Amino acid sequence: MKKIEAIIKPFKFEEVKEGLVLAGIQGMTVTEVKGFGRQKGHVEIYRGSELEVLFIPKIKIEVIVPDSLVDRVIKVIIEKAYTGNVGDGKIFIIPVEDAIRIRTKEKGEQAI
């Protein structure tokens, strides 16, 4: 099993979510986050004053999938989150040793 974390632009979330559901993902965790990468934020004008925005709003999507779905999930995220502009995001793939569903005590892939 793998945990896939994707950091994407907020306006691309609905497209990515719909793509993941169509790909067979039954559950996900979504968090509103802020951060910066190579773009290092930007400057905005607010009431005539320059304001440096260091942390850009993003959406973090986390899904746990069996190894057999990893490539499909990554393909969907890249396809749906892509704009071609700086700040499209990142995908991280992390090994998951085990999973346990608290209610039923199921373990492994049955728990996801």
Side-chain angles (χ1 to χ4, degrees):
M1 292 179 294
K2 301 284 190 276
K3 177 180 183 181
I4 299 175
E5 290 184 5
I7 311 294
I8 63 170
K9 292 182 175 185
F11 71 90
K12 295 301 258 175
F13 170 67
E14 284 300 320
E15 278 183 72
V16 173
K17 180 190 75 168
E18 290 169 9
L20 290 173
V21 169
L22 289 174
I25 298 305
Q26 295 181 0
M28 65 183 76
T29 301
V30 178
T31 312
E32 292 181 14
V33 296
K34 292 183 180 187
F36 68 89
R38 290 184 179 167
Q39 76 240 40
K40 305 277 193 281
H42 62 276
V43 175
E44 290 183 0
I45 306 294
Y46 179 72
R47 294 187 178 184
S49 299
E50 283 190 0
L51 190 65
E52 188 174 13
V53 178
L54 293 176
F55 294 99
I56 309 295
K58 300 285 185 176
I59 297 290
K60 179 165 79 168
I61 301 170
E62 299 171 275
V63 295
I64 309 294
V65 298
D67 291 339
S68 61
L69 285 180
V70 171
D71 291 337
R72 184 185 319 169
V73 168
I74 291 168
K75 182 180 177 186
V76 166
I77 295 169
I78 290 172
E79 182 181 294
K80 300 297 184 181
Y82 177 83
T83 68
N85 298 316
V86 172
D88 272 354
K90 295 271 192 306
I91 300 172
F92 304 98
I93 299 108
I94 304 152
V96 174
E97 188 173 316
D98 204 355
I100 302 166
R101 184 184 315 257
I102 295 171
R103 180 177 56 86
T104 63
K105 299 177 186 73
E106 293 171 295
K107 293 184 110 185
E109 288 186 14
Q110 290 75 36
I112 59 172

